[in-house]
């Protein structure tokens, strides 16, 4: 089969969304011989695609007559008028990930897909996996929801794709069949998009539906449930846990990460992969991420030596448990990527004595369970953002003796004010931790800008502390 036999030679294809996905998809569709129309509610963004050979039509609410396929940006909801109209008309709607999968299958040697999804830990796990694969001499690349489009990775010809997929991307993927897949965990997130936790879980479970090796987190009820419900009968099931692994699992024996799945006799033997000290960033949640990555790497045939080498060479992405400075015996840690309560929980549990900087957009997620579970670790709480009253109320209920500083909405430099307030609460041995448990868009462009603001504020504080020390010398 050639590219032009994919479905699209001379066909009319509508691209919904002129953002990152649209920019990636349009040239590929044109190369496949399709007549492409692009629509978006933002006319300025639409104009950025001028010159790519597509017809640009703002604000369509139904597909043009004769449309054979719609390729949507992942963030568009199924209930949006355009996509609902396409479904009602019997026009197939897919995402760029599904398009990338179909194009890859046209190759003489299609790339292997190792798929990672879940509410939290995806980017860390996919980075660890990429590092392990490369340490084993595999032509592999991390792609998907990490900034490098899957479509671009497929077209570049890589042999193995370590693919991070969001629930949105999976929702629009209908024939994806990974060599191995994992749902790391599941907690409340994106309920506003999916409509319910069950629908959110079902989207995540799509990662498993045609997978050859299905990996699940034995410590996470949803991860285990989705593996049971969505794994094909022919799939190999592999678990991982932060405890002694059973036969067919990866896990911990004291401070060792061990494999009892991809060994000659899982019933009687295990192989050492690494130690907890080899895992960065630190924390139990990242040990779990390392075990998940190792399971996928081992499923692809990577040696234990390469798993260890890959873990040691892995460089954590910014804004994930990133230690910024130690000032006066207090450590300052940036985990701005903790954009929901589940992610914040893992971050908070990595430290014993914390001044917690939190707040932003909770997107309807509850925080009582989180606050109750880490109340004994809190030395102080600094809150900012639109949903700070919700977190303040939870702290009052579950940690009433912990001091809380709620910043005023009008503060010009809210993160500077937050870091200063946290510093005033902290004592030597404490950690000032930015783990917001919330999205950032009420105050910042994204979690990265929020993390950068924290880093800048800590560095100003460190400079002031150094100056004060010099003045006293």
């Amino acid at each position: 089969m050639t590219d032009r036999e994919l479905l699209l030679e001379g066909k009319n294809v509508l691209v919904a969304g002129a953002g990152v996905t649209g920019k990636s998809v349009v040239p590929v569709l044109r190369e496949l011989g399709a007549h492409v129309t692009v629509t978006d509610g933002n006319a300025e963004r639409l104009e950025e695609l001028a010159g790519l050979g597509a017809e640009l039509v703002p604000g369509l609410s139904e597909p043009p007559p004769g449309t054979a396929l719609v390729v949507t940006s992942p963030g568009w909801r199924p209930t949006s008028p355009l996509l609902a109209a396409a479904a009602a008309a019997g026009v197939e709607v897919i995402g760029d990930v599904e398009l990338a999968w179909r194009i890859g299958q046209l190759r003489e040697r299609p790339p292997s897909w190792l798929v990672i999804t879940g509410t939290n830990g995806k980017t860390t796990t996919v980075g660890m996996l990429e590092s392990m694969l490369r340490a084993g001499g595999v032509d592999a690349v991390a792609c998907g929801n990490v900034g490098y489009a899957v479509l671009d990775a497929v077209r570049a010809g890589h042999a193995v794709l370590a693919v991070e997929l969001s629930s949105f991307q999976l929702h629009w993927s209908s024939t994806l069949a990974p060599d191995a897949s994992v749902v790391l965990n599941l907690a409340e997130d994106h309920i506003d998009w999916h409509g319910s936790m069950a629908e959110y879980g079902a989207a995540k479970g799509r990662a498993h539906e045609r997978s050859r090796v299905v990996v699940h987190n034995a410590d996470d009820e949803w991860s285990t449930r989705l593996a049971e419900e969505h794994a094909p009968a022919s799939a190999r099931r592999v678990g991982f846990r932060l405890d002694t692994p059973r036969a067919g699992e990866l896990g911990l024996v004291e401070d060792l990460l061990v494999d009892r799945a991809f060994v000659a006799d899982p019933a009687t033997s295990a192989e050492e992969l690494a130690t907890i000290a080899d895992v960065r960033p630190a924390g139990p949640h990242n040990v779990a991420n390392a075990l998940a990555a190792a399971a996928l790497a081992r499923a692809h045939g990577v040696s234990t030596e390469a798993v260890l080498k890959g873990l040691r060479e892995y460089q954590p992405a910014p804004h994930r448990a990133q230690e910024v400075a130690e000032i006066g015996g207090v450590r300052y840690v940036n985990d701005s990527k903790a954009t929901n309560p589940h992610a914040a929980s893992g971050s908070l549990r990595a430290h014993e004595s914390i001044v917690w900087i939190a707040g932003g957009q909770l997107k309807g997620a509850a925080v009582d369970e989180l606050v109750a579970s880490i109340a004994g670790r809190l030395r102080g709480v600094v809150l900012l953002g639109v949903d700070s009253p919700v977190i303040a109320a939870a702290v009052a209920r579950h940690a009433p003796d912990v001091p809380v500083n709620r910043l005023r909405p009008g503060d010009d430099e809210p993160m500077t004010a937050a870091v200063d307030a946290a510093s005033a609460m902290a004592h030597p041995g404490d950690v000032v931790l930015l783990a917001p448990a919330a999205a950032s868009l009420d105050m910042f462009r994204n979690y990265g800008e929020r993390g950068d603001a924290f880093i800048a504020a800590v560095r100003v504080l460190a400079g002031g502390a150094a100056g004060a020390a010099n003045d006293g010398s």
Side-chain angles (χ1 to χ4, degrees):
M1 181 183 290
T2 67
D3 283 358
R4 288 182 178 269
E5 292 172 326
L6 177 62
L7 298 171
L8 304 179
E9 172 71 29
K11 299 289 182 67
N12 296 318
V13 178
L14 176 64
V15 175
V20 174
T21 299
K23 290 183 176 71
S24 173
V25 163
V26 170
V28 176
L29 294 171
R30 293 288 295 133
E31 288 174 12
L32 295 172
H35 302 301
V36 182
T37 301
V38 186
T39 190
D40 195 295
N42 186 322
E44 290 184 7
R45 186 163 56 194
L46 197 61
E47 284 302 317
E48 293 177 10
L49 274 63
L52 294 183
E55 183 180 359
L56 309 178
V57 183
L60 285 177
S61 58
E62 58 183 35
T67 298
L69 179 71
V70 176
V71 181
T72 181
S73 295
W76 282 47
R77 301 185 187 189
T79 55
S80 66
L82 174 62
L83 301 187
V91 178
E92 185 179 22
V93 181
I94 66 172
D96 64 313
V97 171
E98 176 68 17
L99 180 64
W101 168 258
R102 295 182 186 186
I103 290 173
Q105 296 311 295
L106 300 173
R107 279 210 217 147
E108 184 177 343
R109 298 186 65 180
S112 297
W113 287 51
L114 306 176
V115 169
I116 296 167
T117 191
T119 302
N120 299 302
K122 298 185 293 296
T123 300
T124 296
T125 306
V126 83
M128 290 175 170
L129 175 59
E130 177 191 53
S131 187
M132 292 173 187
L133 292 165
R134 289 183 173 180
V138 178
D139 172 27
V141 66
C143 56
N145 206 35
V146 293
Y148 183 36
V150 185
L151 196 52
D152 295 337
V154 168
R155 297 176 76 206
H158 295 285
V160 180
L161 310 182
V163 190
E164 175 187 331
L165 295 182
S166 70
S167 57
F168 307 155
Q169 291 169 314
L170 284 162
H171 178 89
W172 299 116
S173 299
S174 55
T175 67
L176 176 63
D179 281 355
S181 57
V182 63
V183 179
L184 298 169
N185 47 60
L186 206 71
E188 276 192 351
D189 203 12
H190 303 305
I191 305 303
D192 53 347
W193 197 94
H194 290 283
S196 69
M197 188 69 175
E199 289 299 317
Y200 175 49
K204 293 292 192 184
R206 281 195 161 196
H208 292 325
E209 287 179 350
R210 297 168 187 81
S211 185
R212 182 177 60 83
V213 180
V214 170
V215 178
H216 71 279
N217 182 351
D219 296 326
D220 186 275
E221 181 181 353
W222 268 101
S223 176
T224 302
R225 173 178 162 184
L226 292 175
E228 291 170 348
E229 292 178 352
H230 292 271
S234 60
R236 178 179 183 180
R237 290 272 302 279
V238 176
F240 64 93
R241 64 178 69 235
L242 294 178
D243 201 348
T244 304
R246 301 170 184 171
E249 295 183 340
L250 286 74
L252 288 180
V253 177
E254 297 179 346
D255 68 337
L256 298 178
L257 283 69
V258 300
D259 177 1
R260 285 193 67 190
F262 301 96
V263 293
D265 185 0
T268 61
S269 64
E271 292 189 26
E272 179 181 334
L273 299 171
T275 69
I276 289 176
D278 293 315
V279 178
R280 294 172 296 110
H285 57 306
N286 284 318
V287 174
N289 293 337
L291 289 167
L296 295 179
R298 296 284 281 156
H300 189 70
V302 167
S303 69
T304 56
E305 292 81 8
V307 169
L308 175 59
K309 186 171 185 284
L311 269 182
R312 288 177 172 172
E313 292 179 348
Y314 168 65
Q315 295 297 318
H319 311 300
R320 294 164 174 82
Q322 176 185 10
E323 186 157 338
V324 179
E326 182 173 327
I327 305 168
V330 177
R331 292 164 54 219
Y332 291 77
V333 176
N334 165 30
D335 202 1
S336 184
K337 186 62 172 68
T339 56
N340 56 60
H342 187 269
S345 175
S347 187
L348 287 156
R349 290 173 185 275
H351 308 287
E352 295 298 324
S353 184
I354 303 158
V355 179
W356 181 28
I357 300 177
Q361 296 167 306
L362 288 170
K363 299 178 292 184
V367 292
D368 279 84
E369 183 179 346
L370 166 63
V371 174
S373 69
I374 51 90
R377 301 171 187 262
L378 297 178
R379 298 296 171 262
V381 178
V382 179
L383 298 174
L384 68 168
V386 65
D387 284 331
S388 62
V390 179
I391 303 176
V395 174
R397 284 190 290 272
H398 302 290
D401 297 329
V402 173
V404 176
N405 187 328
R406 277 184 59 197
L407 300 183
R408 298 168 305 187
D411 283 338
D412 290 336
E413 299 290 345
M415 192 58 75
T416 299
V419 168
D420 289 345
S423 175
M425 292 180 174
H427 296 88
D430 291 344
V431 171
V432 170
L433 174 64
L434 173 66
S440 58
L441 298 179
D442 57 330
M443 302 178 72
F444 303 93
R445 285 198 300 267
N446 49 47
Y447 74 82
E449 184 181 74
R450 179 171 61 187
D452 288 340
F454 176 81
I455 293 169
V458 171
R459 287 176 176 165
V460 169
L461 183 68
N470 290 335
D471 289 344
S473 60

